[in-house]
Amino acid sequence: MTDESADKAFEFHGTWQEYAPIAFTNLLLTIVTLGIYRFWATARTRRYLWSRTRFIDDRFEWAGTGMELFKGAVMVFLLIGLPLIGFNFLIQRLVLNGDALTAGVLGVGFFILVYWLVGVARFRALRYRLARTYWRGIRGGSDDPGMGYGVSYMWKNFVGTIALGLLIPWSMVSLWNERWRAMSFGPYKFEAAGRVEGLMGRFLLCYAAPFLAMIAAVVVVVPIAMAGGATSGAGGIGSFMAGLVAVFGFYFIFGLVVLAYYAKFFRQMVEATSLHTLSFGFTASTRDWLKLFLGDVALVVLTLGIGTIFLAYRHWSFGVRHLHAFGYVEVDHLTQSTTKELREGEGLLDAFDMGAI
């Protein structure tokens, strides 16, 4: 692949009309089985999305199964969920017995354990998805179990929130680099050299947005409310509507600023990630992310929630459409990954309901 053809390296050939029978069947079977089928539904959805995604001259293949995801969820429930529930009951029992100090210590330990598990979940979910993604018969993966990443996830997020949260961009960049450097595809390791430079401007704007929005809301609403109080009932309704608009405006502006920061962060991190002779790019702007988000909301609201079954399709096609690759692939040197084969899915990820990337 040359740079001239790089903008066509990734292509998605699926259509929503083709995906609809899969989505509605998944929904029906998930309802009939009281939710148990959702593991197999996830596998079916991924098989379709991967099979309609082409990289250079071949399509991806999803080799994961619903049983793997089901086994992963069961293992998490038995080995982690039940002990955590018991631990929580123990803390409540200590509080009722008046041993607040011991309960407090155990409560802090409980919180740290859950936070560590969240980090492990993110790492292992990415590792599982790479291990089950095939291209030209080659898969990815990692031999790192992710325990150390869980520790990093804890302390880096903790450090990121101190100093008024000004180190959050540093923690996000550092964790991205650590996560991807532990992954590989075929015989090659991923490289990640993300930097904080270029992010702080948008982050500081994100930090200041709530205060600016509150000041703007006060400047707009207070005069209208005072005018409404001096007039009849119509003025009161106007004040109420102005307050309502101010509240929605506050959340919309704050969300938009956060979205602008994340759009820049994601572009910068993808561009800093490489695999042997390949480098990557991501072209989605803040406006593109906003259109995706508003489209999701409209789809779900206008269909009374049924449109949720198409969100995976929308998000995947959005990602592939904006993802680019530069460089070339030495196909003759591409050998199979020697990383460990996985026998269970991303149960921890499901437990914490988080995205892998």
Side-chain angles (χ1 to χ4, degrees), residues 121-142:
R122 295 201 66 172
F123 184 93
R124 293 174 75 93
L126 178 58
R127 183 182 72 156
Y128 172 73
R129 292 180 188 187
L130 280 171
R132 286 292 177 261
T133 297
Y134 281 76
W135 181 76
R136 282 177 165 260
I138 308 296
R139 64 172 176 83
S142 174

Side-chain angles (χ1 to χ4, degrees), residues 2 18 31 33-34 74 77 83 109 140 195 203 238 321 329 356:
T2 64
E18 193 178 49
I31 293 173
T33 60
L34 303 179
V74 170
F77 179 72
R195 300 171 65 89
F203 182 74
R321 193 165 65 250
V329 178

Side-chain angles (χ1 to χ4, degrees), residues 202 252 255-264 267 282-296 314 318 321-322:
R202 292 199 184 196
F252 180 77
L256 189 61
V257 174
V258 172
L259 192 63
Y261 166 72
Y262 184 75
K264 181 72 179 293
R267 279 201 307 273
F282 198 76
T283 58
S285 64
T286 303
R287 184 173 63 178
D288 296 321
W289 283 98
L290 181 62
K291 287 167 61 179
L292 175 71
F293 174 72
L294 294 178
D296 286 350
R314 281 175 51 79
F318 174 83
R321 193 165 65 250
H322 292 284

Side-chain angles (χ1 to χ4, degrees), residues 153-169:
Y153 186 83
M154 275 194 311
W155 78 261
K156 288 181 179 178
N157 274 309
F158 174 74
V159 171
T161 55
I162 62 177
L164 300 176
L166 291 175
L167 294 177
I168 288 177

Side-chain angles (χ1 to χ4, degrees), residues 337-349:
S337 172
T338 58
T339 54
K340 181 182 177 182
E341 286 272 10
L342 302 178
R343 290 178 294 180
E344 73 278 342
E346 52 217 19
L348 272 173
L349 180 84

Side-chain angles (χ1 to χ4, degrees), residues 226-277:
M226 293 178 65
T231 60
S232 61
I237 296 175
S239 301
F240 173 75
M241 293 303 296
L244 199 62
V245 170
V247 171
F248 278 105
F250 170 80
Y251 283 108
F252 180 77
I253 293 173
F254 180 63
L256 189 61
V257 174
V258 172
L259 192 63
Y261 166 72
Y262 184 75
K264 181 72 179 293
F265 167 81
F266 199 76
R267 279 201 307 273
Q268 203 162 301
M269 292 305 102
V270 172
E271 290 168 2
T273 305
S274 61
L275 178 67
H276 190 47
T277 53

